[in-house]
């Protein structure tokens, strides 16, 4: 059966020829596994690609890229399929699915790992924690390592070891013309610079090499719940503490609605709360002293901060962020002024669903010590990253929820420079992307785009347009 696409018809023989050149497989509309193969984490994006190519290795990726180019197909690249903006799927085009590619090699002496791009953070942590090593990973362990890293990579080790992208030492990339290149400080250095914060604009990353650090297996981490009546004192007290916290401690404030969990009093279920989440990456004894002030910001409803395996902290939030819900994220780098915090607190009281939230991510530490020009991720001076999330189990009224998130973001962003974190946004908005990079950085990204993808084959991302398409 032939397949209709936006650009024409793919005949059976054409698709069969593609599949014959793969070690992996092709999933077509009508195949029994098609609906499962096309599904992504964010239910907001219900797309029907013409083909899903499940790649078994780099050679399959090369074949898929060449096929997409020859057939003039829209290309979506999928790793963990968490893309909030829906970039890991498309209508009528080809999905290059890297999820079968889950190999990893850990060198515990050199403290390096080479990981294939289909791994999630749960997969990678499983391999590296055997040796007591880790790199900054996602806050939800089902997140794919590749897209997370290419956009920056904010996680619990940010203040101690920087972003995931700060710890990237090399990457293997399939370019738009089907070449396989290695990017590092010594090889294709401009591409390597762009990959660390410039997203998936420049090719399909098939493997990533990271610098690892001694972490765990036990860390001091967890959650402290405070009532909404104490929100202002908790948030302002947290702001003051962040000015003198040790780099081993990374914290996150979550302004949310209390879920019906057994460790929370029943009378709190369904009420708005402030949750202070954090992890101390150093010695457990020193950690007790470091987290002590977090327990005195108010009168806790529940204090769940204590020793736990690093992998447990990495997956602690997973039950709240399962696949299949409708999600919209947007973000802004801000300074935590009184006016900015007032805006955050005000919008917390207006969240449209129980699972809609505002997050305040503490920055600084190792994150801030990376020179702004060293990587494409150049928003190093801000103290806080605010993430505004609209989330619902069903689509009814979701447009209004998105409108709330956008309005909240614009209000909060007015207290910063307008830049967003490209991994935390549900919009493919060129103006937002442009505002997230200083002029010199954006112009440099365009030059790299011109060199590696001049026709914008890889445009399902927070897109940096090449000069020819501008």
């Amino acid at each position: 059966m032939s397949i209709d696409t936006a650009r024409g018809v793919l005949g059976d023989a054409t698709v069969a020829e593609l599949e014959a050149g793969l070690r992996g497989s092709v999933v077509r509309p009508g195949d029994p596994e098609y609906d499962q193969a096309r599904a992504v984490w964010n239910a907001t994006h219900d797309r029907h690609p013409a083909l899903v190519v499940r790649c078994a290795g780099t050679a399959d990726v090369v074949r898929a890229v060449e096929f997409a180019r020859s057939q003039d197909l829209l290309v979506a690249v999928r790793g963990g399929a968490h893309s909030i903006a829906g970039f890991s799927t498309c209508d009528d085009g080809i999905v290059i699915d890297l999820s079968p590619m889950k190999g990893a090699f850990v060198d515990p002496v050199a403290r390096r790992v080479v990981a294939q791009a289909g791994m999630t953070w749960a997969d990678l942590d499983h391999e590296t924690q055997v040796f007591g090593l880790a790199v900054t990973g996602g806050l939800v362990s089902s997140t794919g390592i590749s897209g997370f890293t290419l956009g920056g990579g904010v996680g619990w080790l940010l203040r101690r070891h920087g972003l995931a992208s700060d710890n990237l030492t090399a990457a293997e990339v399939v370019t738009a013309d089907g070449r396989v290149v290695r990017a590092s400080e010594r090889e294709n250095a401009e591409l390597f610079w762009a990959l660390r914060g410039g997203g998936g604009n420049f090719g399909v990353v098939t493997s990533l090499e990271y610098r690892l650090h001694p972490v765990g297996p036990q860390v001091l981490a967890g959650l402290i719940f405070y009532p909404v009546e104490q929100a202002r004192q908790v948030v302002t007290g947290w702001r003051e503490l962040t000015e003198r916290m040790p780099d081993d401690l990374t914290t996150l404030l979550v302004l949310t609605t209390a879920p019906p969990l057994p460790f929370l009093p029943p009378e709190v279920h369904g009420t708005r709360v402030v949750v202070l989440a954090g992890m101390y990456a150093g010695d457990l004894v020193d950690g007790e002293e470091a987290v002590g002030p977090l327990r005195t910001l108010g009168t806790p409803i529940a204090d769940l901060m204590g020793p736990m395996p690093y992998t447990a902290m990495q997956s602690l939030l997973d039950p709240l962020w399962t696949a299949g819900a409708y999600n919209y994220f947007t973000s802004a780098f801000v300074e935590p002024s009184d006016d900015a915090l007032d805006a955050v607190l005000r919008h917390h009281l207006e969240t449209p669903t129980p699972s809609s939230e505002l997050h305040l991510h503490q920055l600084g530490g190792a994150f801030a010590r990376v020179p702004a020009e060293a990587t494409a991720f150049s928003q190093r001076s801000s103290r806080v990253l605010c993430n505004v999330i609209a989330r619902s189990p069903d689509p009814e009224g979701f447009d209004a929820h998105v409108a709330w998130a956008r309005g909240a973001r614009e209000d909060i962003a007015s207290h910063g420079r307008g830049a967003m974190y490209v991994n935390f946004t549900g919009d493919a908005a060129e103006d937002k992307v442009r505002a997230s990079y200083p002029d010199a950085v954006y112009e440099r990204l365009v030059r790299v785009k011109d060199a590696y993808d001049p026709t914008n084959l890889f445009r399902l991302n927070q897109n940096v347009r090449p000069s020819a398409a501008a």
Side-chain angles (χ1 to χ4, degrees), residues 161-186:
H161 298 300
L163 298 166
S165 57
D166 297 334
N167 292 281
L168 188 69
T169 56
E172 181 184 82
V173 185
V174 177
T175 62
D177 58 3
R179 290 179 297 136
V180 181
V181 302
R182 178 178 167 86
S184 69
E185 291 284 4
R186 296 185 177 182

Side-chain angles (χ1 to χ4, degrees), residues 298-382:
T299 304
I301 300 168
D303 182 348
L304 305 176
M305 187 79 69
M308 67 174 68
Y310 173 71
T311 53
M313 186 58 184
Q314 281 288 87
S315 58
L316 191 66
L317 303 180
D318 288 8
L320 300 176
W321 297 97
T322 54
Y326 291 76
N327 295 269
Y328 174 84
F329 287 27
T330 187
S331 62
F333 290 95
V334 297
E335 296 307 310
S337 64
D338 287 345
D339 288 343
L341 295 182
D342 284 346
V344 170
L345 293 170
R346 182 169 61 253
H347 292 294
H348 177 214
L349 298 178
E350 300 169 352
T351 48
T353 68
S355 53
S356 296
E357 302 180 341
L358 297 99
H359 297 173
L360 296 176
H361 296 259
Q362 179 191 7
L363 304 176
F367 163 87
R369 288 193 291 273
V370 176
E373 68 277 7
T375 72
F377 191 107
S378 50
Q379 302 296 333
R380 301 285 179 171
S381 61
S382 297

Side-chain angles (χ1 to χ4, degrees), residues 389-414:
I389 300 168
R391 180 174 166 91
S392 175
D394 57 64
E396 185 176 355
F398 194 67
D399 287 347
H401 307 339
V402 171
W404 164 81
R406 287 175 174 158
R409 188 266 176 197
E410 292 308 307
D411 187 10
I412 295 165
S414 68

Side-chain angles (χ1 to χ4, degrees), residues 76-385:
V77 181
R78 175 183 302 168
H82 267 235
S83 171
I84 299 299
F87 297 137
S88 52
T89 188
C90 61
D91 282 324
D92 298 327
I94 184 172
V95 173
I96 301 176
D97 185 0
L98 308 178
S99 63
M101 298 169 55
K102 293 184 179 294
F105 172 74
V106 180
D107 184 339
V109 177
R111 292 180 180 171
R112 293 289 192 273
V113 60
V114 178
Q116 287 188 300
M119 298 189 87
T120 65
W121 284 105
D123 298 328
L124 189 56
D125 289 336
H126 178 77
E127 299 295 334
T128 61
Q129 276 291 282
V130 170
F131 305 98
L133 299 170
V135 66
T136 306
L139 299 171
V140 176
S141 72
S142 59
T143 304
I145 65 171
S146 185
F148 175 88
T149 301
L150 298 179
V154 172
W156 296 120
L157 293 172
L158 174 144
R159 288 173 44 77
R160 183 68 181 88
H161 298 300
L163 298 166
S165 57
D166 297 334
N167 292 281
L168 188 69
T169 56
E172 181 184 82
V173 185
V174 177
T175 62
D177 58 3
R179 290 179 297 136
V180 181
V181 302
R182 178 178 167 86
S184 69
E185 291 284 4
R186 296 185 177 182
E187 304 164 271
N188 299 293
E190 278 297 283
L191 175 60
F192 182 58
W193 171 85
L195 292 175
R196 291 173 291 163
N201 273 284
F202 313 103
V204 183
V205 173
T206 52
S207 71
L208 305 98
E209 179 181 297
Y210 296 100
R211 181 186 306 111
L212 298 174
H213 307 277
V215 176
Q218 293 284 308
V219 294
L220 189 67
L223 311 172
I224 303 172
F225 288 75
Y226 287 102
V228 71
E229 293 80 11
Q230 298 175 8
R232 183 172 297 279
Q233 72 182 71
V234 170
V235 172
T236 56
W238 169 80
R239 175 185 61 186
E240 294 169 9
L241 288 177
T242 61
E243 296 177 357
R244 56 183 186 274
M245 281 184 190
D247 290 354
D248 277 329
L249 181 58
T250 298
T251 61
L252 162 67
L253 275 182
V254 181
L255 291 91
T256 186
T257 300
L261 297 173
F263 55 78
L264 295 175
E267 62 270 19
V268 174
H269 297 174
T271 68
R272 288 183 171 86
V273 292
V274 179
V275 184
L276 200 159
M279 190 187 88
Y280 187 85
D283 181 80
L284 293 180
V285 175
D286 294 338
E288 287 288 353
E289 181 179 352
V291 304
L294 303 178
R295 296 185 161 110
T296 62
L297 294 175
T299 304
I301 300 168
D303 182 348
L304 305 176
M305 187 79 69
M308 67 174 68
Y310 173 71
T311 53
M313 186 58 184
Q314 281 288 87
S315 58
L316 191 66
L317 303 180
D318 288 8
L320 300 176
W321 297 97
T322 54
Y326 291 76
N327 295 269
Y328 174 84
F329 287 27
T330 187
S331 62
F333 290 95
V334 297
E335 296 307 310
S337 64
D338 287 345
D339 288 343
L341 295 182
D342 284 346
V344 170
L345 293 170
R346 182 169 61 253
H347 292 294
H348 177 214
L349 298 178
E350 300 169 352
T351 48
T353 68
S355 53
S356 296
E357 302 180 341
L358 297 99
H359 297 173
L360 296 176
H361 296 259
Q362 179 191 7
L363 304 176
F367 163 87
R369 288 193 291 273
V370 176
E373 68 277 7
T375 72
F377 191 107
S378 50
Q379 302 296 333
R380 301 285 179 171
S381 61
S382 297
R383 289 176 57 193
V384 171
L385 169 62

